[in-house]
């Protein structure tokens, strides 16, 4: 090659000191494939990496090495395109750059970026080409995987009608994934405060801003529901937003990312359900009211004039009461399940309520004795009195029901720190260990081999648990050494 | 005899109120809707018994109206409803009391006794 003379002219260049030997060392050091070919494409020279990669013949001296031919090295799918590009480039002196797959010695094709630079003589004619190929296979595979992954994400977001957002907190730059214009229409970056004010209804802005601030300060997670006016027709919509801290600075969130989606349909459904409850409630209870009224009047009428009838009417009346309770229970269950139970709390004395219930329920049984152990001086509890009455009624009547052989039913009340604890204990059939948490499930019913079945829809304890939990209390099956069951619940006490 | 004006649009109950209250010695006038009450088209009773869900008009609103009129503001109003959580709403509208359906006859009669203290002995 004529190169060494021109290299010598460069003076301080280290190559000029070491010469051709150094050049060879460098070319063998480089991890890329290097080669030199004539204008017919015949390889004149290649570097060590070329030999290692393609597995070309190693036994001969480099300048005698037989070249297998481009066709064996380049992937058949890429060969045609390369040839075309090559043919086009022969007429000019531009760098030829292309991506192609080269065959490794073991037969595996890997992506490379190949570059060819022409060398010209003093007349401007191309004498030969120098080429290099850099392995970009890992990069390419990653790119393809990323592309597929992004495609999947886009499809997922689109089908869930969600958008993914990314927020640089420090610079207050918010960006989000492309999406259909079914919600926030503007694409691109926009300041968050501007966004909030543009879309979110005024009543929800403060709460949203507050929860966002909290999440930033604690570098945590944030989620919120809010209403916004959005869409082409400026509709009222409900949105749910979720985000988490992706990176922190000085203990606070510096970048957050999450999703936003339209929950308007869900909210409408909830309102429909709410409406359904009040309508169903009214519709079912109204005929029951009439029936009850007539039975009570009949009862009064029959007492003096038709005593046999009076007995039957009395039974009728009890069944009407039972029907009424069942309807109430069913509606309560659905409300609890949907989280729609409304409470009307007031201050009242728990012991008074327990005494009242005990007195009433004692009348229902002669086989059992209700015993009270109530701690004096418990401060008034702030709770829905009617609902707690319901809880006590359920627990005590269960105690009666599940101790068919009779016995004592012990009701205790005590104060434990900030909590009120009330327990109801019987000496009946008991609750096996494995069922201790299941008894509070909706529709759970006892299967006792000794008795065919206990009446009831299995809703009582579910409702009781729902009421207690709604008050912020707990309800549990306690441990008992002897036979029977112990169930207790707690309610928070103020102060 | 104490007069009760009762408004309830449910046909099943239209006989019940006069029956129960009549047996207890009260005179009952039944209305099936609330419009007459808003138009002041009625004879003044000693007590109003209003169902919350009257066709077309909310019983609570009627109560509010009655309590705002000089002629009727001192007459006790009891609101009847199948929804248990209307206590507050009813009280805010000025109702004197609230009765939840389905009710025991005795509950209703106790309320009547409370708001209409002088009662004649029931005819049996």
């Amino acid at each position: 090659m004529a190169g060494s003379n021109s290299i010598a002219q460069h003076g301080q260049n280290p190559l000029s000191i070491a010469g051709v030997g150094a050049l060879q060392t460098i070319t063998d050091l480089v991890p890329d494939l290097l080669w030199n070919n004539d204008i017919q494409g015949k390889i004149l020279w290649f570097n060590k990496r070329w030999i290692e990669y393609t597995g070309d013949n190693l036994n001969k001296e480099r300048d005698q090495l037989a070249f297998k031919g481009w066709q064996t090295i380049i992937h058949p799918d890429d060969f045609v395109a390369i040839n075309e590009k090559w043919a086009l480039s022969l007429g000019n002196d531009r760098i030829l750059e292309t991506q192609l797959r080269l065959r490794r010695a073991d037969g595996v094709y890997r992506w490379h970026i190949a570059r060819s630079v022409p060398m010209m003589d003093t007349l401007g004619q191309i004498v030969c080409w120098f080429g290099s190929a850099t392995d970009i296979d890992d990069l390419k595979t990653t790119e393809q995987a990323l592309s597929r992954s992004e495609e999947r994400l886009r499809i997922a977001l689109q089908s869930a009608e969600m958008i993914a957002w990314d927020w640089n907190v420090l610079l207050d730059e918010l960006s989000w994934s492309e999406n259909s214009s079914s919600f926030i229409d503007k694409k691109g970056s926009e300041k968050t405060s501007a966004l909030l004010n543009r879309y979110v209804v005024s009543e929800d802005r403060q709460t949203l801003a507050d929860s966002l601030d909290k999440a930033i300060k604690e570098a945590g997670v944030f989620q919120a529901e809010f209403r916004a006016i959005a869409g082409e027709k400026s509709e009222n919509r409900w949105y749910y937003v979720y985000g988490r801290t992706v990176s922190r600075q000085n203990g606070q969130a510096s970048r957050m990312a999450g999703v936003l989606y339209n929950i308007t349909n869900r909210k409408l459904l909830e309102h429909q359900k709410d409406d359904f409850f009040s309508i169903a409630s009214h519709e079912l209870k109204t005929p029951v009211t009439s029936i009850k009224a007539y039975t009570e009047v009949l009862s009064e009428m029959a007492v003096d004039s038709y005593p046999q009838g009076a007995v039957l009417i009395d039974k009728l009346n009890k069944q009407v009461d039972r029907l009424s309770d069942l309807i109430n229970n069913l509606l309560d269950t659905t409300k609890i399940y949907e989280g729609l139970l409304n409470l009307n709390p007031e201050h009242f004395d728990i012991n008074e309520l327990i005494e009242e219930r005990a007195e009433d329920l004692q009348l229902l049984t002669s086989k059992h004795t209700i015993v009270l152990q109530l701690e004096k001086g418990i401060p008034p509890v702030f709770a829905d009195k009617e609902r707690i009455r319901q809880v006590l009624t359920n627990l005590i009547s269960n105690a009666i029901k599940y101790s068919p052989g009779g016995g004592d039913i012990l009701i205790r009340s005590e104060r434990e720190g900030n909590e009120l604890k009330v327990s109801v204990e019987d000496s009946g059939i008991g609750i096996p260990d494995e069922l201790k948490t299941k008894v509070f499930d909706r529709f759970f019913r006892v299967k006792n081999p000794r008795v065919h079945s206990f009446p009831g829809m299995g809703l009582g304890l579910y409702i009781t648990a729902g009421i207690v939990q709604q008050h912020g209390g707990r309800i549990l099956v306690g441990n008992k050494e002897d036979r029977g069951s112990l169930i207790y619940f707690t309610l928070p006490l103020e102060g | 005899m104490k007069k009760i004006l009762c408004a309830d649009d449910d046909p099943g109950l239209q006989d019940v109120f006069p029956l129960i209250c009549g047996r207890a010695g009260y005179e009952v006038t039944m209305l099936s809707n609330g419009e007459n009450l808003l138009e002041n088209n009625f004879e003044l009773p000693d007590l109003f018994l209003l169902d919350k869900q009257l066709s077309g008009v909310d019983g609570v609103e009627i109560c509010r109206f009655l309590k705002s009129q000089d002629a009727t503001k001192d007459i006790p109003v009891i609101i009847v409803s199948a929804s248990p959580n209307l206590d507050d709403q009813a009280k805010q509208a000025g109702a004197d009391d609230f009765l939840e359906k389905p009710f025991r006859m005795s509950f209703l009669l106790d309320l009547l006794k409370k708001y209409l203290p002088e009662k004649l002995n029931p005819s049996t």
Side-chain angles (χ1 to χ4, degrees):
Chain A
M1 309 284 313
S4 50
N5 287 341
S6 44
I7 288 169
Q9 281 162 28
H10 285 271
Q12 291 303 307
N13 192 310
L15 288 179
S16 63
I17 302 161
V20 173
L23 192 58
Q24 180 141 325
T25 308
I26 290 169
T27 59
D28 284 345
L29 192 64
V30 163
D32 296 343
L33 282 70
L34 299 175
W35 68 88
N36 175 243
N37 58 272
D38 66 14
I39 53 178
Q40 271 88 40
K42 179 161 172 260
I43 296 279
L44 303 171
W45 166 91
F46 31 82
N47 73 342
K48 187 169 171 198
R49 179 68 189 141
W50 173 282
I51 300 167
E52 282 170 355
Y53 184 81
T54 61
D56 269 352
N57 199 327
L58 288 166
N59 291 331
K60 302 188 179 174
E61 289 295 321
R62 192 173 299 198
D63 46 25
Q64 284 170 29
L65 284 171
F67 171 58
K68 284 193 190 138
W70 288 109
Q71 249 177 315
T72 58
I73 307 293
I74 300 177
H75 191 285
D77 292 344
D78 302 330
F79 189 72
V80 175
I82 297 298
N83 259 347
E84 281 170 11
K85 249 185 167 174
W86 170 268
L88 281 172
S89 68
L90 280 179
N92 60 52
D93 59 356
R94 272 186 241 121
I95 296 173
L96 174 67
E97 186 178 297
T98 187
Q99 290 188 11
L100 78 179
R101 281 161 287 185
L102 295 178
R103 192 175 179 280
R104 198 166 57 183
D106 61 359
V108 172
Y109 285 96
R110 289 180 67 83
W111 281 98
H112 285 75
I113 283 188
R115 282 201 189 84
S116 273
V117 170
M119 274 286 287
M120 270 143 354
D121 62 14
T122 45
L123 296 173
Q125 301 283 7
I126 296 177
V127 170
C128 64
W129 293 79
F130 277 97
S132 73
T134 308
D135 189 324
I136 55 160
D137 196 82
D138 291 337
L139 184 65
K140 197 104 173 128
T141 324
T142 309
E143 262 175 21
Q144 283 170 348
L146 184 62
S147 177
R148 269 196 299 275
S149 169
E150 276 178 353
E151 177 72 14
R152 268 188 235 123
L153 177 63
R154 203 178 53 78
I155 292 171
L157 289 178
Q158 211 163 33
S159 58
E161 292 187 0
M162 268 196 216
I163 57 172
W165 54 266
D166 199 305
W167 187 33
N168 183 321
V169 184
L170 299 177
L171 302 175
D172 193 16
E173 273 168 7
L174 181 62
S175 59
W176 50 73
S177 57
E178 274 188 46
N179 209 19
S180 61
S181 60
S182 68
F183 0 33
I184 298 184
D185 303 329
K186 188 175 179 298
K187 233 169 69 172
S189 299
E190 183 174 351
K191 290 231 180 298
T192 30
S193 43
L195 183 74
L196 279 186
N197 289 335
R198 197 149 71 85
Y199 283 105
V200 178
V201 308
S202 47
E203 296 94 27
D204 293 344
R205 280 179 208 157
Q206 193 56 50
T207 21
L208 187 59
D210 288 346
S211 26
L212 200 49
D213 281 341
K214 184 162 184 281
I216 294 169
K217 285 198 177 60
E218 295 171 5
V221 162
F222 116 94
Q223 48 187 347
E225 288 182 358
F226 61 90
R227 287 159 297 176
I229 315 270
E232 287 160 4
K233 298 176 189 162
S234 294
E235 300 138 21
N236 282 318
R237 292 178 178 170
W238 274 96
Y239 286 100
Y240 170 76
V241 64
Y242 171 86
R244 51 192 317 166
T245 302
V246 173
S247 35
R248 291 181 178 72
Q249 208 181 78
N250 300 328
Q252 293 196 359
S254 56
R255 192 170 140 237
M256 297 186 82
V259 288
L260 173 74
Y261 59 99
N262 188 342
I263 54 169
T264 308
N265 286 340
R266 201 219 308 160
K267 282 290 180 183
L268 285 177
L269 207 61
E270 276 176 21
H271 287 144
Q272 273 180 357
K273 277 185 183 162
D274 228 344
D275 284 345
F276 171 73
F277 287 135
S278 53
I279 293 170
S281 176
H282 186 255
E283 295 301 316
L284 285 173
K285 287 188 193 179
T286 303
V288 172
T289 309
S290 296
I291 297 172
K292 185 150 185 63
Y294 289 120
T295 28
E296 290 202 349
V297 171
L298 276 174
S299 182
E300 237 186 53
M301 286 172 163
V303 153
D304 295 325
S305 53
Y306 183 28
Q308 294 150 303
V311 170
L312 292 176
I313 291 167
D314 202 39
K315 291 183 198 271
L316 182 59
N317 208 6
K318 287 201 168 59
Q319 291 308 305
V320 173
D321 282 342
R322 202 168 146 223
L323 180 63
S324 183
D325 282 344
L326 288 174
I327 292 172
N328 280 333
N329 274 359
L330 208 50
L331 287 170
D332 276 351
T333 307
T334 328
K335 276 191 212 168
I336 287 174
Y337 185 75
E338 302 284 339
L340 293 171
L341 192 68
N342 292 321
L343 296 178
N344 294 323
E346 56 182 285
H347 288 101
F348 65 91
D349 185 311
I350 187 71
N351 287 342
E352 265 176 32
L353 189 62
I354 295 175
E355 280 165 0
E356 175 214 295
R357 292 284 77 219
E359 209 180 287
D360 278 353
L361 291 161
Q362 178 69 81
L363 298 172
L364 297 178
T365 174
S366 48
K367 280 194 288 191
H368 305 81
T369 312
I370 298 179
V371 177
L372 303 179
Q373 271 180 16
L374 309 176
E375 188 182 299
K376 292 207 191 323
I378 298 178
V381 66
F382 187 61
D384 187 317
K385 190 170 179 181
E386 193 48 52
R387 292 296 184 180
I388 302 298
R389 179 181 278 125
Q390 199 176 346
V391 165
L392 290 169
T393 306
N394 173 248
L395 293 178
I396 300 171
S397 38
N398 274 353
I400 295 172
K401 186 156 90 171
Y402 295 107
S403 47
D408 283 354
I409 292 171
L410 181 55
I411 307 176
R412 274 190 221 89
S413 73
E414 51 194 321
R415 179 183 185 164
E416 281 186 358
N418 284 357
E419 283 185 332
L420 161 67
K421 182 173 161 188
V422 176
S423 64
V424 176
E425 189 178 340
D426 64 66
S427 44
I429 65 173
I431 300 170
D433 281 343
E434 64 270 17
L435 295 177
K436 281 191 168 149
T437 45
K438 291 202 181 311
V439 289
F440 301 109
D441 289 348
R442 196 155 74 133
F443 308 131
F444 175 87
R445 292 180 59 189
V446 165
K447 289 186 181 65
N448 185 299
R450 288 192 295 142
V451 185
H452 293 299
S453 69
F454 286 95
M457 290 190 285
L459 300 177
L461 276 178
Y462 176 77
I463 294 172
T464 292
I467 293 171
V468 166
Q469 283 155 3
Q470 185 89 338
H471 279 90
R474 294 166 294 130
I475 182 161
L476 291 144
V477 173
N479 292 319
K480 244 181 92 78
E481 277 155 20
D482 46 352
R483 51 176 283 131
S485 313
L486 168 67
I487 299 188
Y488 69 89
F489 68 91
T490 65
L491 289 173
L493 286 171
E494 296 173 324
Chain B
M1 199 186 289
K2 295 285 183 174
K3 297 199 182 89
I4 300 175
L5 187 56
C6 181
D8 195 315
D9 62 352
D10 173 40
L13 289 176
Q14 302 232 321
D15 291 333
V16 166
F17 284 113
L19 181 62
I20 297 177
C21 303
R23 286 171 60 80
Y26 303 97
E27 187 185 307
V28 177
T29 307
M30 272 310 295
L31 293 178
S32 56
N33 64 53
E35 273 144 30
N36 287 358
L37 292 174
L38 292 173
E39 288 158 19
N40 267 319
N41 192 3
F42 56 91
E43 202 184 297
L44 290 180
D46 298 301
L47 181 135
F48 289 102
L49 197 54
L50 306 174
D51 189 271
K52 181 181 191 298
Q53 266 157 311
L54 287 167
S55 38
V57 196
D58 187 333
V60 171
E61 288 310 308
I62 297 183
C63 172
R64 202 171 266 137
F65 173 74
L66 291 171
K67 289 296 180 182
S68 70
Q69 302 290 305
D70 280 335
T72 50
K73 67 177 164 53
D74 294 321
I75 302 177
V77 176
I78 300 177
I79 295 188
V80 186
S81 172
S83 320
N85 296 326
L86 280 178
D87 223 359
D88 283 339
Q89 230 186 75
K91 290 247 154 77
Q92 266 176 28
D96 296 86
D97 223 308
F98 179 82
L99 183 64
E100 191 189 327
K101 284 199 259 193
F103 52 83
R104 289 226 157 89
M105 203 168 75
S106 51
F107 282 1
L108 173 58
L109 294 176
D110 284 345
L111 279 180
L112 294 180
K113 249 189 252 175
K114 181 175 169 188
Y115 292 99
L116 298 171
E118 300 144 52
K119 179 174 75 74
L120 295 177
N121 287 329
S123 48
T124 4

